[in-house]
């Protein structure tokens, strides 16, 4: 690894690749995140109603997602916006897991809620606004559940890795990093998707990296393209917002895909995922693919 990277990230040595650890593999139910297989997490921004959640869970499952997302505790930018169903939402998520076999990722916002959320979730999401909430990181780490650590809205990669190091220091090795876009001068997209963070993290860190194109883009039209870019940059998976009726979603409708949109995203991502699998299986040093092989590959992935 470059000397200057070692210096720049010297505060978070436990997150960096080393002779002891080249890749952390996070076990979640019968899956492994970071183990080479690409994982898709999908579901609504907020858990709203049982029919909304169940329809989404069944749809994303049959389209290839393995993990259901959905917020029961919502950190909203506006104090007047829907704040989430709380425990009632967690129970709906548990029912969706029972019915579909999908694992559950859901946000926890306060250290007081960690035991309750950890009872229902397979992965605890630490939201952007809480990336540096050390009391929450400690409580979540101690729950023993894997954590999805979202990048703070204005956090540098070094800040982000410092927060991951806090979790590791509390004895929890199962940290999954999530790039969800950062604030820049650009306002045409909700956030600026920092794809270079994914490429850089795959060079320096052994922690799995997941991309969230939904919160990066802020509009559904851009989500499939950003998801493909994330795969090409080396992400271990994506997390995307999907809703049966985005126009009437209680939160983040503009960036939520409807079911057909989700299917389309899965289809456009699939050749990228197939190429990624080839690269990971050690064929990345071979000669470039012939055009015919390329076509075969795309056909096979569909
Ligand atoms: C979310 O996942 O719905 C969310 C609020 O994400 P973030 O913390 O990245 O804004
Ligand atoms: Mn959201």
């Amino acid at each position: 690894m470059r000397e200057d990277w070692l210096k720049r990230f010297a505060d978070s040595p436990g997150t960096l690749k080393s002779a002891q650890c080249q890749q952390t593999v996070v076990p979640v139910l019968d899956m492994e995140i970071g183990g080479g297989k690409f994982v898709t997490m999908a579901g609504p921004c907020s858990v709203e109603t049982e029919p909304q959640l169940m329809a989404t869970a069944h749809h994303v499952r049959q389209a290839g997602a393995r993990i259901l997302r959905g917020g029961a505790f919502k950190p909203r930018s506006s104090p007047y916006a829907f704040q989430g169903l709380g425990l009632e939402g967690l129970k709906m998520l548990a029912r969706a897991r029972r019915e579909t076999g999908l694992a559950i990722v859901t946000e926890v916002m306060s250290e007081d809620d960690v035991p309750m959320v950890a009872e229902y979730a397979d992965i605890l999401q630490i939201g952007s606004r809480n990336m540096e909430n050390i009391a929450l990181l400690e409580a979540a780490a101690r729950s023993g559940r894997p954590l999805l650590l979202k990048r703070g809205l204005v956090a540098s990669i070094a800040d982000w890795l410092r927060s991951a190091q806090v979790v590791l220091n509390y004895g929890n090795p199962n940290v999954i990093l999530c790039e969800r876009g950062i604030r820049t001068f650009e306002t045409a997209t909700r956030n600026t998707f920092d794809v270079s963070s994914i490429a850089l993290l795959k060079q320096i860190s052994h922690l799995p990296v997941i991309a969230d194109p939904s919160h990066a883009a802020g509009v559904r039209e851009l989500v499939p393209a950003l998801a493909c870019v994330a795969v090409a940059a080396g992400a271990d998976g994506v997390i995307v917002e999907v809703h049966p009726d985005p126009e009437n979603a209680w939160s983040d409708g503009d960036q939520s895909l409807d079911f057909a949109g989700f299917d389309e995203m899965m289809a456009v991502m699939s050749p990228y995922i197939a190429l990624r699998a080839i690269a990971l299986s050690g064929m990345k040093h071979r000669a470039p693919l012939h055009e015919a092989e390329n076509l075969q590959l795309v056909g096979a992935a569909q």
Side-chain angles (χ1 to χ4, degrees), residues 274-275 277-297:
L275 281 171
I278 290 177
L280 285 179
S281 68
M283 293 170 74
K284 59 186 159 195
H285 299 303
R286 59 176 247 172
L289 295 172
H290 291 300
E291 205 171 311
E293 280 182 293
N294 250 326
L295 288 175
Q296 254 177 12
L297 177 69

Side-chain angles (χ1 to χ4, degrees), residues 45 69 74-75 107 125 127-129 150 180 215 241:
C45 177
R69 64 146 291 146
K74 296 304 302 175
E107 179 160 357
Q125 177 173 321
S128 289
R129 292 156 191 81
K150 289 197 135 192
R180 46 78 75 206
H215 289 86
E241 290 186 336

Side-chain angles (χ1 to χ4, degrees), residues 44-46 69-71 73-77 107 125-130 148 150-153 178-181 190-191 212 215-216 239 241 251-252 255:
C45 177
S46 300
R69 64 146 291 146
F73 294 91
K74 296 304 302 175
R76 305 307 306 286
S77 302
E107 179 160 357
Q125 177 173 321
I126 304 294
S128 289
R129 292 156 191 81
N130 272 318
L148 182 76
K150 289 197 135 192
R151 182 178 184 179
L153 279 74
C178 178
E179 165 62 49
R180 46 78 75 206
R190 183 174 179 183
N191 291 289
D212 176 345
H215 289 86
I239 180 165
E241 290 186 336
S251 60
D252 285 351
Q255 67 195 33

Side-chain angles (χ1 to χ4, degrees), residues 52-180:
Q52 170 245 17
L53 187 67
M54 295 307 154
T56 310
H58 283 288
H59 186 86
V60 301
R61 165 97 220 193
Q62 63 83 25
R66 301 294 313 280
I67 300 182
L68 178 67
R69 64 146 291 146
F73 294 91
K74 296 304 302 175
R76 305 307 306 286
S77 302
S78 161
Y80 305 107
F82 173 57
Q83 306 293 316
L85 295 179
L87 179 58
E88 201 192 329
L90 295 176
K91 289 184 174 162
M92 291 181 197
L93 287 166
R95 181 171 160 216
R97 177 178 42 199
R98 271 198 311 278
E99 277 193 16
T100 62
L102 291 165
I104 302 297
V105 57
T106 194
E107 179 160 357
V108 59
M109 285 174 57
S110 137
E111 66 256 41
D112 297 338
D113 295 336
V114 166
M116 176 173 57
V117 180
E119 197 183 316
Y120 292 91
D122 300 292
I123 304 172
L124 298 180
Q125 177 173 321
I126 304 294
S128 289
R129 292 156 191 81
N130 272 318
M131 188 203 80
E132 290 182 313
N133 180 340
I134 305 298
L136 176 62
L137 291 176
E138 175 181 354
R142 289 192 192 282
S143 76
R145 290 287 190 203
L147 303 191
L148 182 76
L149 181 62
K150 289 197 135 192
R151 182 178 184 179
L153 279 74
V154 290
S156 68
I157 296 170
D159 297 331
W160 190 12
L161 289 181
R162 270 190 285 270
S163 289
Q165 183 71 50
V166 168
V167 178
L168 302 181
N169 289 351
Y170 283 112
N172 189 334
N174 293 323
V175 181
I176 304 160
L177 300 168
C178 178
E179 165 62 49
R180 46 78 75 206

Side-chain angles (χ1 to χ4, degrees), residues 5-40:
W5 282 339
L6 287 172
K7 277 198 207 119
R8 183 180 293 272
F9 303 110
D11 283 345
S12 345
T15 67
L16 302 181
K17 286 185 178 173
S18 66
Q20 291 73 41
C21 189
Q22 286 291 301
Q23 181 60 48
T24 289
V25 176
V26 176
V28 178
L29 299 184
D30 62 342
M31 284 167 272
E32 291 183 331
I33 298 177
K37 212 160 173 232
F38 190 83
V39 65
T40 301

